[in-house]
Amino acid sequence: MNWWDTDATHDPARQSWVESANGHGQFPIQNLPFGVFSPPGEEPRIGVAIGDAILDLAACARLGLLPPESAEACGKQVLNALMGLDTASRVALRRIISHMLSEEGFRRALDAAVHDAAACTLHLPARVGDYTDFYVGIHHANNIGRQFRPDNPLLPNYKHVPIGYHGRASSIRPSGVPVVRPRGQRKPPEADTPLFGPTTRLDYELELGVWIGAGNALGTPIPIAEAGSHVAGFCLLNDWSARDVQAWEYQPLGPFLAKNFHSTISPWVVTPEALAPFRIGQPPRPEGDPHPLPHLWDEADQAHGALALTLEVWLTTARMREDGLSPQRLSTGPATNMYWTVGQMVAHHASNGCNLNPGDLLGTGTISAPTPDGYGSLMELSSGGKAPLALPGGETRTFLEDGDEVIFTATASAPGRVSIGFGACRASVVPAP
Ligand code: MN
């Protein structure tokens, strides 16, 4: 089975005896994302989101309902072992979960294994060994580059190499954990010497996260034709950024403390299988762009390597919440605004023999549309702080204030298919200590 093939688990007519799943905008039975949750007062365990509920997979394993090759992995407190399974095992597990949640006959046996999601705590789904952030959102790269180099926004390597840097795994947190405004060193343009204090240019970055599944041995690259089978899932990722710190520190080695103080992810791992109906071709490279080198080119990856996902960014401020105002949508755009595919990122990352491990996380880099209604950061939306945004209730923003909450969403949709979502990736900013 290819990672873009569909089966009965995607049947739009399939319904669940968990009634809230039917017509659910995020987690209908066609989605079945994996996560780690704890019911009130209980230990973390692996589960699957279904409507407004969570199915406890560890309990299913104890009942002897899961395939032997994945039952042990489903009993852990993190998804790394499950992510490391081969695609066939993951597909078999998905088919059984879909069967159990759709067949009325399982309702009684599974009654005690289904928990109200609203009462549960969601945890980081995996122990993230390594986190790498790419820069494949070409419109973001152009917009940011233009602020520094108006005539020459993209550096000459951009269309040959998926640009990336090694990020920090220890500060990744699930949706809902507040972000402490970081202190850092910055040098305002008018100052002679740098100063140290809370960032005044706190920003978000709208990204997709990619969970690595099966790893590769050190010294053994992943051929691009096999890159898709090394991906275990997707999430939303907010790569919080301190722009003033970034501007001062980034040369010559790149991002450091401006980026590593906190990254927020949506805690549900949406599998490649769930996204199979939403695979689309990678948009063709513009006329005149270089053809990638052979190790970064695969026809099947080009034909199926992009995702029909709509991404949105929403903001609420403390005052908007006090005044009962709804969150304001700051942008929306498609995930096709990536110059490189996920397969190309994975193949490039391992092309020198670097070993990837189950549970490693890749960020795509900020995904922006060509027009302001789809810009994926405030740095772009406010033109580097020069053009404040108007918010409901009369407030304005160039960068984030304490009390602001940023919310990302992603929805996959395709004709004749049941849409699925990623769940929320949200966090509030709290003052520097
Ligand atoms: Mn980033």
Side-chain angles (χ1 to χ4, degrees):
M1 186 172 173
N2 296 308
W3 40 266
W4 56 86
D5 291 339
T6 58
D7 60 20
T9 65
H10 305 97
D11 182 354
R14 188 166 280 199
Q15 300 241 306
S16 177
W17 48 262
V18 179
E19 282 87 5
S20 64
N22 305 321
H24 199 277
Q26 306 285 303
F27 308 129
I29 194 167
Q30 289 79 9
N31 192 344
L32 305 176
F34 295 106
V36 174
F37 75 103
S38 35
E42 296 185 36
E43 287 290 299
R45 79 278 315 259
I46 291 174
V48 167
I50 177 76
D52 294 333
I54 304 174
L55 173 66
D56 181 338
L57 279 191
C60 294
R62 286 195 300 276
L63 291 167
L65 296 171
L66 302 185
E69 66 273 17
S70 49
E72 191 187 341
C74 288
K76 310 276 189 196
Q77 293 197 335
V78 285
L79 290 174
N80 298 69
L82 194 58
M83 288 171 163
L85 293 176
D86 56 80
T87 305
S89 301
R90 208 174 53 229
V91 169
L93 177 60
R94 171 180 169 85
R95 287 178 179 166
I96 286 193
I97 295 168
S98 178
H99 177 72
M100 291 191 303
L101 286 171
S102 58
E103 289 293 326
E104 181 66 32
F106 284 90
R107 185 197 286 257
R108 274 187 63 189
L110 292 180
D111 187 53
V114 175
H115 299 265
D116 175 17
C120 296
T121 304
L122 290 169
H123 305 280
L124 274 188
R127 195 177 50 256
V128 184
D130 281 296
Y131 161 50
T132 303
D133 199 20
F134 282 89
Y135 196 54
V136 308
I138 187 166
H139 304 299
H140 172 77
N142 259 316
N143 290 337
I144 298 295
R146 203 174 293 116
Q147 292 185 16
F148 297 98
R149 299 175 300 277
D151 303 328
N152 180 28
L154 288 186
L155 293 170
N157 54 7
Y158 190 86
K159 293 180 174 177
H160 297 274
V161 182
I163 301 296
Y165 70 97
H166 283 300
R168 182 85 191 164
S170 68
S171 52
I172 297 169
R173 292 292 180 276
S175 180
V177 177
V179 177
V180 178
R181 178 178 297 275
R183 293 176 188 274
Q185 189 179 128
R186 58 196 155 91
K187 192 171 111 33
E190 66 281 5
D192 293 330
T193 54
L195 53 87
F196 181 79
T199 176
T200 61
R201 288 161 75 93
L202 182 62
D203 200 355
Y204 59 81
E205 290 194 334
L206 171 64
E207 306 195 14
L208 276 184
V210 179
W211 291 102
I212 296 297
N216 59 307
L218 182 64
T220 307
I222 296 173
I224 179 133
E226 293 169 22
S229 65
H230 288 264
V231 173
F234 295 83
C235 62
L236 283 160
L237 191 159
N238 186 341
D239 180 26
W240 302 93
S241 300
R243 300 298 183 194
D244 41 6
V245 177
Q246 185 177 1
W248 175 234
E249 75 170 8
Y250 87 107
Q251 287 177 317
L253 287 187
F256 188 40
L257 302 186
K259 297 280 193 172
N260 72 359
F261 56 93
H262 195 128
S263 308
T264 301
I265 60 169
S266 56
W268 291 108
V269 176
V270 180
T271 63
E273 291 72 50
L275 289 167
F278 311 104
R279 287 288 179 178
I280 51 177
Q282 173 70 357
R285 293 187 157 212
E287 193 79 24
D289 279 13
H291 195 279
L293 289 168
H295 73 289
L296 294 177
W297 187 262
D298 177 70
E299 293 295 344
D301 180 57
Q302 291 296 309
H304 307 286
L307 289 165
L309 273 178
T310 301
L311 309 174
E312 297 186 354
V313 178
W314 298 75
L315 178 76
T316 77
T317 70
R319 191 176 350 138
M320 285 167 66
R321 292 192 296 278
E322 275 164 29
D323 293 350
L325 298 171
S326 303
Q328 166 88 345
R329 193 172 75 183
L330 298 186
S331 68
T332 180
T336 46
N337 287 312
M338 292 163 47
Y339 191 75
W340 299 93
T341 66
V342 169
Q344 288 172 319
M345 289 190 276
V346 170
H348 174 61
H349 203 315
S351 63
N352 65 344
C354 173
N355 55 320
L356 306 180
N357 288 305
D360 283 359
L361 184 65
L362 312 183
T364 55
T366 309
I367 301 175
S368 288
T371 49
D373 56 339
Y375 286 177
S377 69
L378 286 173
M379 184 73 174
E380 294 163 88
L381 283 169
S382 73
S383 298
K386 292 196 282 285
L389 304 181
L391 296 175
E395 289 181 281
T396 62
R397 284 294 180 278
T398 50
F399 293 96
L400 296 168
E401 306 281 338
D402 294 341
D404 289 358
E405 183 179 31
V406 179
I407 305 157
F408 295 169
T409 65
T411 307
S413 45
R417 294 295 182 180
V418 175
S419 293
I420 64 173
F422 277 38
C425 175
R426 62 196 300 160
S428 302
V429 178
V430 298

